[in-house]
Amino acid sequence: MRTQVAVIGAGPAGLLLSYLLHQAGVEAVVLEARDREYVRQRVRAGVCEQPTVDLLTEIGLGGRLAAEGLPHEGFSLRFDGTDHRIALTELTGKAITVYGQQEIVKDLVDAHEAADLPLHFEVSDVSLSALDSSRPVVRYRDSSGVVQTLECDAVAGCDGFHGVSRPSIPDGVLTIFEREYPFAWLGVLARTQPSHEELIYTHHPRGFALHSMRSPDVTRLYLQVDPAENLAAWSDDRIWTELSTRLAVDGEFTLREGPILDKGITPMRSFVTEPMRHGRLFLAGDAAHIVPPTGAKGMNLAVADVVVLSRALVALLQGDSALAESYSDTCLRRVWRAEHFSWFMTTMLHVDPGADAFAQRLQLSQLRYTASSRAAATSLAENYVGLPFV
């Protein structure tokens, strides 16, 4: 088989890249290891930056987002038993929209199927070769067990941290920057109305907590826990009790409880690979970088990558390699800004079990300054709503 771009992975990065290329008249084939329903239903991030919302609207995929998304013009920063609002729109003129990553994926899958674009699920044994040439080759086993060979002009590795794309790059080419944090998130999805109209980020002596939502009837909540924590030790009652304790403020606040639909523990890490390109293989999204979720940057960073990559690939196929050659450097400037912001939010809000009293006082000082200084709040808001795409 022959195509112009082989896209490995049908997450938001891979699907959005394929659709952007389609709109630019470039052929692409998307290969995904999971089945169609798993891809459409897997729950991930839920905060869309303003540039992400604008892009999806611009390319004709903003209908459901506009109808079902939950625009937020601010969020709450809680510490010292007090609520402090970060007024995103007042400070920046922009907002964020709560709209689940799985909903964006559904919109993209539907758009691919409506346009009859090649999207292959349940593929296995994917291997990449000839990446240094102008004709890379992707081999894989399709859903019926038949081995296929796909020749292309470029490969987009959008298959996440554990995918095959990054390991296909020879040893010694990539430089890895990584940091693991001494805490994890216990996340729950509950069928209950949100307890607050906006997100709540909480610093509490017992640990960080986050109140978020996925819809008017489904709430997403998180608790800081030890990375080695046993999920079985957390009954529903224990989870609700701990959330109520950490989210409490001096004044009226009642945490709405309901049936917990899903729960899991996610470790926290920062990860960046440089460069994000090797020959005709281009890495995007989680295949190239991971951010702790505190800053709500993961999915939005993947969107920013593929905006740059789509333009670079279109130019490359037209004979101009300049954007392809600068792809990694262009993306990494935004990646490192997002890494820093995510690190800042994470270290400001979480309780570090190894921190001494001096470090704890510095952390509290940063929280107080951020909540009381318009300049500090504006810097936080500007990064949170999303910097403009390059």
Side-chain angles (χ1 to χ4, degrees):
M1 293 189 295
R2 182 81 175 85
T3 192
Q4 290 177 292
V5 179
V7 179
I8 315 299
L15 290 169
L16 180 57
L17 175 62
S18 170
Y19 199 70
L20 290 172
L21 292 174
H22 162 67
Q23 291 194 324
V26 173
E27 296 178 354
V29 173
V30 182
L31 305 177
E32 167 59 42
R34 303 284 191 167
D35 64 63
R36 181 180 181 277
E37 285 311 304
Y38 178 90
V39 169
R40 286 174 59 90
Q41 298 299 328
R42 57 185 167 189
V43 176
R44 294 291 187 271
V47 173
C48 297
E49 296 177 348
Q50 184 72 61
T52 297
V53 173
D54 293 343
L55 174 71
L56 293 172
T57 302
E58 178 185 331
I59 64 174
L61 296 180
R64 265 201 332 127
L65 188 155
E68 301 175 19
L70 305 175
H72 287 197
E73 296 186 350
F75 67 81
S76 291
L77 193 62
R78 287 188 179 178
F79 60 93
D80 280 347
T82 305
D83 193 80
H84 310 266
R85 185 171 186 266
I86 304 297
L88 299 174
T89 304
E90 177 187 326
L91 294 168
T92 69
K94 302 176 182 178
I96 56 99
T97 299
V98 175
Y99 187 67
Q101 175 177 310
Q102 73 273 18
E103 302 305 323
I104 293 176
V105 168
K106 288 176 187 176
D107 294 338
L108 285 163
V109 169
D110 291 346
H112 275 71
E113 293 176 346
D116 198 26
L117 303 180
L119 174 53
H120 302 292
F121 295 101
E122 299 181 80
V123 307
S124 58
D125 300 331
V126 177
S127 64
L128 314 179
S129 59
L131 298 174
D132 286 320
S133 74
S134 60
R135 292 290 186 271
V137 176
V138 180
R139 291 184 175 84
Y140 65 96
R141 191 179 302 276
D142 66 22
S143 59
S144 62
V146 177
V147 175
Q148 304 283 359
T149 300
L150 180 63
E151 296 180 353
C152 53
D153 298 299
V155 180
C158 305
D159 49 347
F161 183 78
H162 299 289
V164 302
S165 297
R166 190 178 66 252
S168 298
I169 297 175
D171 292 341
V173 172
L174 301 178
T175 300
I176 302 298
F177 302 87
E178 190 169 16
R179 171 164 296 182
E180 293 188 2
Y181 296 88
F183 32 74
W185 275 12
L186 191 167
V188 301
L189 197 67
R191 186 167 299 284
T192 180
Q193 293 180 352
S195 305
H196 193 265
E197 63 272 14
E198 295 177 336
L199 278 70
I200 306 171
Y201 286 83
T202 302
H203 171 78
H204 188 275
R206 295 179 62 86
F208 168 80
L210 171 61
H211 169 281
S212 183
M213 62 282 291
R214 287 296 177 266
S215 74
D217 301 308
V218 177
T219 301
R220 187 74 163 155
L221 305 119
Y222 298 94
L223 287 168
Q224 175 187 344
V225 297
D226 188 279
E229 193 72 45
N230 181 6
L231 184 60
W234 286 85
S235 66
D236 291 3
D237 286 344
R238 183 186 178 190
I239 289 171
W240 287 118
T241 298
E242 192 65 25
L243 282 166
S244 295
T245 299
R246 297 189 194 183
L247 290 168
V249 291
D250 297 335
E252 293 185 4
F253 176 77
T254 301
L255 180 65
R256 292 191 177 105
E257 300 182 11
I260 291 181
L261 309 175
D262 182 62
K263 57 184 173 181
I265 293 178
T266 303
M268 307 276 283
R269 73 190 315 170
S270 297
F271 174 92
V272 180
T273 181
E274 293 188 8
M276 291 171 56
R277 174 199 175 195
H278 173 68
R280 289 291 182 97
L281 170 62
F282 300 82
L283 303 178
D286 288 358
H289 42 72
I290 299 287
V291 291
T294 325
K297 293 290 154 226
M299 178 187 65
N300 295 289
L301 205 49
V303 171
D305 285 349
V306 300
V307 168
V308 177
L309 182 53
S310 62
R311 297 169 183 170
L313 291 174
V314 170
L316 180 65
L317 293 170
Q318 293 172 347
D320 183 355
S321 63
L323 292 179
E325 291 169 0
S326 64
Y327 165 72
S328 183
D329 289 340
T330 300
C331 287
L332 284 169
R333 285 197 294 271
R334 187 188 185 93
V335 167
W336 280 112
R337 174 88 295 273
E339 290 284 353
H340 183 274
F341 178 69
S342 299
W343 167 86
F344 166 75
M345 289 285 283
T346 300
T347 54
M348 180 174 68
L349 288 163
H350 290 72
V351 174
D352 185 342
D356 58 17
F358 184 83
Q360 292 169 6
R361 288 296 187 272
L362 291 179
Q363 184 181 36
L364 192 56
S365 173
Q366 180 64 64
L367 282 163
R368 288 170 176 166
Y369 176 64
T370 300
S372 61
S373 164
R374 185 176 181 88
T378 300
S379 176
L380 188 157
E382 181 182 55
N383 283 271
Y384 195 83
V385 299
L387 301 173
F389 292 144
V390 176

